[in-house]
């Protein structure tokens, strides 16, 4: 059975075996009907003649019916050798000649039967038919027209199948691309976790050295929660801003123990922005940068403010610290792992629609700003 | 080409076998074929192959095909038979007759010993019944009796009383026919197969749908009676009740339907048939077997002609019609093959028994051009395009086209040849919406005046719409005369009609008959009414013998 036949989702009319079954049933019915009709003649009933039978009246129609599957088979087989088109042309020409010959032969045999002549007269009748216009070339023309039509149908089917395949490939390509992006994001996230982890572990080490055991325990407990949450959501690229802020809250709890009372965190989140989708852990690296290059560098610095607001179709996220201004060495700044990763993630996820900016906020302080499309539907 | 599929090689092989077989059949042996042995039940049975559809009902005649005549005259016997050599009526069902002094009333005496195939006596009432049935039908066959008093009115429905029609049975054996006008050819016309008697049961039997299953129900008075009929034809056997049965030497006649004349000729050559009429094409002559066959020939009493509608524009001018007639080139129209069968027609009437055809038309293209110029159309300028109305079945017939070509080449007259189906063509002819027609007229009486009677028809029946009182008067006068006096009047009528050229004769036809040499007694008949009862086999055919033992004939 063919692949098509084996495919249960294919419609029944695409199943050649069903058509063959229909043809066989039709042939059986035809033979039964013809036999029934010709029975008086076959049985030698007085007065019954071959001339009155359907076999005599419908010889050409019957022949077309019997030849139909053979013609389809020939066409299908010769289509496979399309590269050798001249070979197909020769064989189709020979088939047209054979069909003409068959039809003339059937006509001649019909004349033989009607007139009860012996087979030895067949060549004579064949020649006589030529003079009495019994050599009809219409069957050959019909055959060639049928073959052309079948070729046209096949060509159309192949074209449609090609189109379908192209579409499927495009979809598969897009899916593959998405999966690649997701894999890249996962890889980036895997870089974030160690970065934060090392910092926190350093903090814990520092707390233990300073005999601040109770605080160290709190940090370890917070870190555990952060890691559990991080692992739970590892496969998801996007989070609501609300979830992201919840994550940051744990993070700042750890950092506040590390910085003791010196750190002041302000959150200015518009309620309508809490449902907005943002890349998972997109703010944490910036917050960490603010802690590392801002607040920790200036003993007077203590403020870290995170805000979120909607500007039309855009979501603007900012992370501000009142630490020292940006160093003059831009290259050092832009090559930081946190900024690089964040910038790369934004580029992968939004292309040109996203932007990350770091700028001084004179007289003191640095402001990191992320602008992304405002989205509320979850995209997996 | 893929290496995994060998299907195309199998297809190539299959096509090679099929085409090879076909070529072998085509190139197969076509000479010295075996003659088929005559079946046991066909000994002394004449087997006649025929092609056109013929009806058992004598009144359902579309055209007087020879096979139709043979069948009807084998089953039924009319009042008279015409001598094929002289055209003179001979006694058949009627043993004698007499005319009234004014030649308006014909009284016929029937044979007392005539019997139907069921033993019933044949009476004058059987003729009256049959003729009234014929007049109650379509006009074409009924036209054969229009010379009878009130016959046309009865056929058209203007008269409904059958007693008003000019045919009555004086007694069982006396039939009286009354005419509107004297007509000396009436007696010969009574030989028409249309005018055979019908048994009182026949109308009902032929009207039923299953009489073919009960052929014995068809009661006839001829030399043979029907024993079988089916799609393959008819089988007749000698009637034991026929009055002259002692002279009938055949045991029966079988009519075998064939697809075409070529197959009919093949059947004769193969020993499956003994006679084929007509055989129109010389290349159909078989030389396939060692059966001895002969080709007989008879001049058909008919004429192939172009008919001009004289009510249409320039065709009303006799000079135009003469120009069209003189511009033809009849001899060159006939191909070498046709010259064996077709004869250029220089007059309207061909040779008939007792009268040679005239030489009226002398083709002269320059004279034709002069006449056309005199009529106001020099070189055909200003002449309207003629519409030639032809039936569809004439497609492929080269002769009408040859006429049209000649008129254009010699006279500059253009002809639009339009082929039409029977219905629209009939309507066109009825309304007179045509310029030229092309066709054949066949006589039903072996008499010169019969073909000329086409010029005496009422305009509504006439293809030419031409009417000439003098021609009608001459033919009417001829119908009152006999012998040489009559021939003079007929010639005058023919010359007068041809001078006016309402129609131009193109050619006469010679009918070929293919006959097995053992069939004896065949004779030519210009109206194809050979009586098969006169034929016999000599030597008598053997049956059941091997082909080698069959007599070489």
């Amino acid at each position: 059975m063919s692949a098509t036949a084996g495919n249960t989702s294919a419609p029944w009319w695409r199943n050649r075996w069903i058509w063959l079954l229909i043809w066989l049933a039709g042939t059986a019915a035809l033979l039964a009907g013809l036999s029934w009709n010709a029975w008086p003649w076959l049985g030698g009933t007085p007065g019954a003649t071959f001339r009155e039978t359907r076999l005599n009246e419908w010889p050409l129609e019957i022949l077309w019916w019997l030849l139909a599957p053979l013609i389809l088979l020939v066409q299908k087989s010769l289509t496979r050798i399309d590269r050798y088109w001249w070979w197909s042309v020769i064989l189709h020409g020979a088939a047209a000649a054979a069909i003409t010959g068959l039809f003339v032969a059937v006509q001649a045999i019909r004349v033989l039967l009607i007139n009860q002549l012996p087979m030895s007269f067949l060549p004579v009748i064949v020649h006589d038919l030529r003079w009495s216009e019994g050599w009809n070339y219409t069957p050959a023309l019909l055959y060639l027209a049928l073959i052309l039509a079948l070729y046209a149908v096949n060509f159309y089917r192949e074209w449609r199948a090609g189109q379908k395949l192209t579409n499927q490939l495009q979809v598969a390509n897009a899916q593959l691309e998405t999966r690649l992006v997701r894999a890249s994001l996962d890889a980036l996230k895997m870089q974030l976790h160690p970065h934060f982890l090392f910092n926190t572990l350093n903090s814990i080490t520092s707390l233990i050295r300073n005999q601040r055991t109770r605080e160290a325990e709190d940090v370890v407990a917070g870190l555990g929660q952060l890691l559990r949450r991080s692992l739970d959501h590892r496969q998801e690229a996007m989070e609501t801003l609300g979830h992201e802020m919840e994550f940051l809250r744990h993070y700042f709890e750890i950092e506040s123990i590390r910085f003791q009372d010196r750190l002041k965190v302000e959150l200015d989140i518009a309620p309508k922005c809490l449902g907005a989708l943002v890349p998972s852990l997109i703010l944490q690296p910036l917050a960490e940068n603010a802690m590392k290059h801002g607040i920790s560098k200036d003993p007077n610095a203590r403020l870290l403010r995170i805000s979120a607001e909607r500007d039309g179709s855009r979501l603007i996220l900012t992370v501000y610290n009142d630490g020292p201004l940006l160093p003059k060495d831009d290259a050092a700044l832009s090559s930081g792992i946190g900024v690089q990763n964040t910038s790369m993630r934004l580029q992968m996820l939004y292309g040109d629609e996203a932007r990350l900016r770091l700028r001084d906020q004179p007289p003191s302080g640095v402001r990191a700003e992320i602008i992304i499309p405002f989205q509320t539907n979850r995209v997996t | 080409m893929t290496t995994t599929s060998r299907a195309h090689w199998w297809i190539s092989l299959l096509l090679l076998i099929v085409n090879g077989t076909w070529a072998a059949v085509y190139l197969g042996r076509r000479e010295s074929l075996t003659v088929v042995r005559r079946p046991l039940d066909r000994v002394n049975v004449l087997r006649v192959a025929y092609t056109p559809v013929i009806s058992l009902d004598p009144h359902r005649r579309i055209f007087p095909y020879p096979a139709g005549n043979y069948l009807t005259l084998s089953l039924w016997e009319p009042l008279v038979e015409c001598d094929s050599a002289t055209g003179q009526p001979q006694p058949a069902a009627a043993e004698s007759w007499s005319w009234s002094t004014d030649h308006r009333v014909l009284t016929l005496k029937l044979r007392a010993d005539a019997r139907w195939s069921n033993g019933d006596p044949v009476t004058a009432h059987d003729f009256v019944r049959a003729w009234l049935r014929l007049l109650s039908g379509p006009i074409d066959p009924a036209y054969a009796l229009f010379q009878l008093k009130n016959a046309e009115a009865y056929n058209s429905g203007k008269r409904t009383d059958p007693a008003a029609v000019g045919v009555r049975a004086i007694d069982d054996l006396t039939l009286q026919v009354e005419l509107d006008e004297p007509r000396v050819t009436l007696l010969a016309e009574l030989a028409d197969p249309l005018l055979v008697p019908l048994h009182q049961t026949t109308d009902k039997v032929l009207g039923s749908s299953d009489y073919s299953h009960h052929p014995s129900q068809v009661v006839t008075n001829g030399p043979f009676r029907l024993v079988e009929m089916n799609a393959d034809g008819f089988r007749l056997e000698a009637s034991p009740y026929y009055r002259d049965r002692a002279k009938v030497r055949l045991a029966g006649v079988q009519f075998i339907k064939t697809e075409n004349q070529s197959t009919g000729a093949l059947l004769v050559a193969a020993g499956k048939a003994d006679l084929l009429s007509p055989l129109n094409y010389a290349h159909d002559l078989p030389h396939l077997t060692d059966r001895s066959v002969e080709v007989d020939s008879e001049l058909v009493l008919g004429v192939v002609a172009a008919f001009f509608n004289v009510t249409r524009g320039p065709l009303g001018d006799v000079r135009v019609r003469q120009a069209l007639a003189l511009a033809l080139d009849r001899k060159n129209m006939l191909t070498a093959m046709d010259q064996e069968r077709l004869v250029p027609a220089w007059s309207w009437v061909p040779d008939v028994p007792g009268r040679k055809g005239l030489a009226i038309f002398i083709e002269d293209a320059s004279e034709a051009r002069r006449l056309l110029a005199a009529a106001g159309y020099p070189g055909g300028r200003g002449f309207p395009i003629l519409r030639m109305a032809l039936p569809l079945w004439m497609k492929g017939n080269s002769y009408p086209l040859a006429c049209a070509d000649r008129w254009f080449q010699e006279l500059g007259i253009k002809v639009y040849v339009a082929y039409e189906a029977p219905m629209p063509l009939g309507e066109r002819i009825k309304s007179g919406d045509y310029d030229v027609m092309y066709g054949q007229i066949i006589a039903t009486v072996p008499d010169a005046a019969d073909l000329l009677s086409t010029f005496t028809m009422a305009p509504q029946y006439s293809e030419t719409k031409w009417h000439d009182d003098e021609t009608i008067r001459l033919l009417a006068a001829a119908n009152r005369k006999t012998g040489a006096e009559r021939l003079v009047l007929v010639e005058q009528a023919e010359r007068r009609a041809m001078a006016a050229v309402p129609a131009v004769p193109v050619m006469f036809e010679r009918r070929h008959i293919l006959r097995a040499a053992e069939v004896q007694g065949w004779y030519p008949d210009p109206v194809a009414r050979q009586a098969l009862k006169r034929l016999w086999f000599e030597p008598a055919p053997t049956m059941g013998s091997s082909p080698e033992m069959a007599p070489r004939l």
Side-chain angles (χ1 to χ4, degrees):
Chain A
M1 195 174 288
S2 70
T4 308
N7 187 354
T8 52
S9 63
W12 68 269
W13 63 83
R14 305 293 289 276
N15 189 328
R16 77 180 66 164
W17 296 102
I18 288 180
W19 284 109
L20 183 62
L21 205 64
I22 291 173
W23 180 82
L24 285 172
T27 303
L30 183 68
L31 290 176
L34 290 173
S35 303
W36 175 264
N37 174 260
W39 192 252
W41 170 66
L42 293 169
T45 304
T49 67
F50 174 73
R51 195 190 297 272
E52 288 176 308
T53 62
R54 294 279 182 264
L55 205 55
N56 172 50
E57 292 170 356
W58 300 345
L60 306 187
E61 292 82 353
I62 293 169
L63 191 57
W64 274 121
W65 174 265
L66 296 176
L67 285 177
L70 195 61
I71 290 172
L72 294 175
L73 180 68
V74 168
Q75 194 273 339
K76 190 175 176 61
S77 300
L78 296 189
T79 304
R80 292 179 188 160
I81 57 169
D82 277 348
R83 280 172 56 206
Y84 300 87
W85 59 268
W86 48 270
W87 186 243
S88 287
V89 168
I90 290 171
L91 287 182
H92 279 309
I99 292 237
T100 304
L102 270 177
F103 275 81
V104 174
V106 165
Q107 291 280 51
I109 290 170
R110 188 170 147 256
V111 174
L112 273 186
L113 286 172
I114 286 175
N115 298 289
Q116 300 163 41
L117 286 166
M119 281 298 286
S120 57
F121 282 82
L122 192 60
V124 180
I125 293 173
V126 165
H127 278 263
D128 277 357
L129 286 175
R130 187 176 189 181
W131 294 112
S132 58
E133 298 177 0
W135 279 39
N136 193 337
Y137 299 100
T138 308
L141 295 176
L142 279 176
Y143 168 78
L144 293 174
L146 182 65
I147 292 298
L148 282 176
L150 288 172
Y151 270 115
V153 168
N154 276 352
F155 178 78
Y156 175 72
R157 275 186 185 166
E158 284 175 10
W159 178 77
R160 281 288 302 273
Q163 290 287 98
K164 199 173 173 182
L165 188 62
T166 304
N167 290 339
Q168 285 174 343
L169 284 173
Q170 284 176 343
V171 170
N173 205 25
Q175 286 174 341
L176 190 62
E177 200 169 317
T178 304
R179 289 169 71 178
L180 280 172
V181 168
R182 183 170 293 170
S184 298
L185 289 173
D186 286 345
L188 289 173
K189 282 168 73 180
M190 290 304 290
Q191 286 182 341
L192 289 175
H193 296 161
H195 188 211
F196 170 71
L197 196 58
F198 291 143
N199 283 345
T200 306
L201 289 175
N202 285 337
S203 298
I204 293 168
T205 305
S206 176
L207 286 172
I208 292 170
R209 280 180 184 159
N210 293 327
Q211 303 298 314
R212 295 165 62 183
T213 315
R214 175 69 185 168
E215 290 164 314
E217 287 175 358
D218 290 344
V219 171
V220 169
L223 179 63
Q225 285 185 348
L226 275 180
L227 286 177
R228 186 179 300 113
R229 180 177 174 77
S230 176
L231 288 171
D232 286 346
H233 295 273
R234 217 175 129 280
Q235 295 301 323
E236 297 192 19
M238 306 294 280
E239 283 282 9
T240 61
L241 185 59
H243 281 99
E244 187 70 6
M245 295 312 296
E246 182 71 14
F247 179 84
L248 282 178
R249 193 174 61 76
H250 288 294
Y251 173 72
F252 285 131
E253 281 174 3
I254 294 171
E255 292 293 52
S256 64
I257 291 170
R258 205 177 122 205
F259 284 86
Q260 296 184 332
D261 296 332
R262 193 180 139 200
L263 179 62
K264 181 183 178 186
V265 177
E266 288 181 7
L267 300 177
D268 181 15
I269 310 297
K272 60 185 177 184
C273 294
L274 288 173
L277 293 174
V278 296
S280 178
L281 297 180
I282 194 72
L283 291 174
Q284 189 272 339
L286 298 181
E288 189 176 331
N289 268 357
M291 301 291 288
K292 182 179 176 184
H293 300 293
I295 292 171
S296 62
K297 296 282 175 145
D298 184 355
N300 296 321
R302 60 194 296 264
L303 177 62
L304 190 150
R305 184 190 302 129
I306 297 178
S307 62
E309 62 176 333
R310 179 173 183 177
D311 179 18
S313 61
R314 301 184 303 171
L315 178 67
I316 302 173
L317 304 169
T318 55
V319 177
Y320 169 77
N321 72 82
D322 58 354
L325 297 178
L326 290 169
K328 299 300 177 190
D329 184 3
D330 289 344
L333 177 70
S334 59
S335 62
I337 289 176
V339 174
Q340 271 187 10
N341 281 352
T342 303
S343 178
M344 197 177 298
R345 288 181 69 194
L346 290 174
Q347 177 67 29
M348 282 182 177
L349 288 169
Y350 302 106
D352 293 337
E353 291 184 75
R355 196 168 57 192
L356 170 62
R357 263 190 323 210
L358 277 177
R359 62 183 180 188
D360 291 336
Q361 191 81 20
S364 63
V366 173
R367 175 188 173 94
E369 184 179 78
I370 292 175
I371 300 176
I372 58 175
F374 188 94
Q375 296 173 342
T376 55
N377 292 330
R378 179 173 289 268
V379 177
T380 58
Chain B
M1 208 173 302
T2 62
T3 53
T4 53
S5 172
R6 297 282 175 198
H8 57 282
W9 292 116
W10 289 110
I11 290 169
S12 304
L13 183 64
L14 178 70
L15 291 175
L16 198 65
I17 292 171
V18 171
N19 284 320
T21 307
W22 164 243
V25 169
Y26 182 72
L27 299 171
R29 188 167 63 105
R30 288 184 288 133
E31 290 178 344
S32 304
L33 296 173
T34 306
V35 178
V36 178
R37 285 181 281 185
R38 183 179 288 269
L40 282 169
D41 59 352
R42 297 293 186 273
V43 174
N44 213 24
V45 171
L46 180 73
R47 297 162 300 173
V48 181
Y50 70 96
T51 50
V53 176
I54 57 175
S55 171
L56 187 70
D57 188 337
H59 295 166
R60 292 185 62 188
R61 184 177 80 182
I62 302 167
F63 195 80
Y65 294 113
N69 288 344
Y70 305 156
L71 176 67
T72 303
L73 295 176
S74 295
L75 290 170
W76 286 277
E77 183 172 53
L79 289 164
V80 298
E81 295 170 348
C82 287
D83 185 290
S84 61
T86 65
Q88 292 306 303
Q90 306 295 320
E95 62 180 358
S96 63
W97 50 83
S98 63
W99 282 101
S100 64
T101 51
D102 62 354
H103 266 80
R104 285 176 186 271
V105 178
L106 175 67
T107 304
L108 300 114
K109 198 73 178 170
L110 307 190
R111 295 179 189 275
D113 60 346
R115 291 288 182 275
W116 290 100
S117 54
N118 63 354
D120 292 347
V122 179
T123 69
H125 301 285
D126 297 324
F127 284 91
V128 174
R129 183 187 308 111
W131 293 8
L132 289 176
R133 180 179 185 262
L134 177 62
L135 284 172
S136 301
I139 188 172
D140 280 348
Y143 193 82
L145 281 175
F146 275 12
Q147 64 273 31
L148 269 61
K149 187 178 178 183
N150 294 326
E152 186 175 358
Y154 185 76
N155 176 252
S156 64
K158 291 176 185 168
R159 300 291 294 263
T160 55
D161 180 14
V165 179
V167 58
R168 66 180 62 89
I170 304 298
D171 56 45
D172 280 355
L173 297 179
T174 309
L175 183 72
Q176 192 171 75
V177 181
E178 188 177 357
L179 307 178
D180 280 328
E181 296 291 336
R183 191 176 178 94
V184 294
T185 57
L186 175 72
L187 199 56
E189 291 167 20
L190 297 182
D192 194 322
L194 283 171
L195 304 182
V196 296
L198 292 181
H199 188 262
Q200 56 185 341
T201 60
T202 303
D203 185 46
K204 188 178 176 185
V205 169
L206 293 181
S208 68
S209 58
D210 65 339
Y211 70 90
S212 63
H213 302 299
H214 310 284
S216 61
Q217 291 180 353
V218 182
V219 179
T220 58
N221 72 324
F224 301 96
R225 65 181 181 184
L226 185 69
V227 290
E228 185 183 354
M229 68 172 289
N230 54 37
D232 282 348
F234 307 87
R235 191 162 67 82
L236 284 53
E237 66 176 13
S239 171
Y241 291 100
Y242 182 56
R243 59 164 181 92
D244 210 12
R245 60 186 175 282
K247 291 185 180 173
V248 178
R249 296 167 70 176
L250 292 175
V253 182
Q254 183 181 6
F255 289 86
I256 303 169
K257 182 166 177 54
T258 64
E259 310 310 298
N260 47 53
Q261 292 180 12
S262 181
T263 308
L266 185 63
L267 290 182
V268 174
K272 299 280 291 183
D274 306 307
L275 193 74
L276 171 70
S277 174
L279 175 70
N280 287 344
Y281 305 103
H283 68 254
D284 288 337
L285 295 180
H287 303 287
L288 317 167
T289 68
D290 56 0
R291 190 180 200 199
S292 180
V293 294
E294 293 180 2
V295 179
D296 297 300
S297 181
E298 58 197 18
L299 189 63
V300 176
L301 186 45
V303 59
V304 177
F307 300 85
F308 303 126
N309 183 347
V310 300
T311 65
R312 301 270 284 194
L315 292 175
D317 189 329
V318 67
R319 292 170 298 184
V320 170
R321 303 199 298 269
Q322 286 173 336
L324 291 168
L326 295 176
L328 293 182
D329 184 3
R330 292 168 177 78
K331 279 189 176 173
N332 281 336
M333 282 172 64
L334 309 179
T335 64
M337 187 176 72
D338 292 334
Q339 281 172 2
E340 293 182 13
R341 194 173 64 84
L342 303 175
V343 182
W346 310 114
S347 60
W348 189 255
V349 183
D351 295 347
V352 295
R355 180 185 185 270
K356 292 288 287 180
L358 307 174
I360 296 175
F361 286 97
I362 307 298
E363 291 166 348
D364 187 341
S366 59
E367 175 65 5
R369 285 190 286 273
R370 189 193 68 75
L371 284 167
L372 191 67
Y377 305 101
R381 285 188 291 279
F383 201 93
I385 296 174
L386 295 178
R387 181 188 184 98
M388 183 184 282
L390 296 176
L392 274 176
W393 63 264
M394 284 194 85
K395 262 190 176 178
N397 190 323
S398 62
Y399 306 118
L401 303 179
C403 287
D405 288 348
R406 187 74 180 169
W407 289 334
F408 178 69
Q409 288 164 5
E410 295 298 335
L411 304 175
I413 293 175
K414 295 176 183 172
V415 180
Y416 167 50
V417 181
Y419 298 96
E420 287 180 293
M423 286 291 283
L425 183 63
E427 288 299 316
R428 184 178 297 283
I429 293 169
K430 203 172 176 182
S431 63
D433 184 18
Y434 62 94
D435 299 306
V436 187
M437 281 184 61
Y438 193 93
Q440 184 177 25
I441 290 185
I442 297 281
T444 55
V445 184
D447 183 87
D450 192 58
L451 280 180
L452 290 168
S453 66
T454 190
F455 300 122
T456 66
M457 294 170 80
Q460 66 266 32
Y461 301 135
S462 162
E463 293 89 350
T464 64
K465 316 296 179 193
W466 181 72
H467 180 86
D468 180 55
D469 288 333
E470 180 60 11
T471 304
I472 294 171
R473 188 194 69 76
L474 286 167
L475 287 172
N479 279 338
R480 295 187 182 89
K481 306 291 184 185
T482 57
E485 202 176 356
R486 182 171 185 276
L487 288 178
V488 170
L489 288 167
V490 169
E491 182 175 335
Q492 287 176 356
E494 184 178 3
R495 288 190 182 280
R496 181 170 179 84
M498 288 298 96
V501 206
V504 53
V506 178
M507 57 195 175
F508 302 128
E509 185 183 3
R510 193 170 280 283
R511 183 187 301 119
H512 291 311
I513 297 101
L514 185 65
R515 173 176 58 84
E518 69 260 38
V519 176
Q520 299 293 309
W522 185 261
Y523 57 95
D525 187 333
V527 288
R529 290 179 191 159
Q530 283 88 351
L532 303 186
K533 65 181 179 182
R534 297 185 196 171
L535 307 185
W536 73 94
F537 286 103
E538 190 174 306
T542 57
M543 72 302 172
S545 57
S546 67
E548 292 73 21
M549 293 173 66
R552 299 298 170 97
L553 301 171

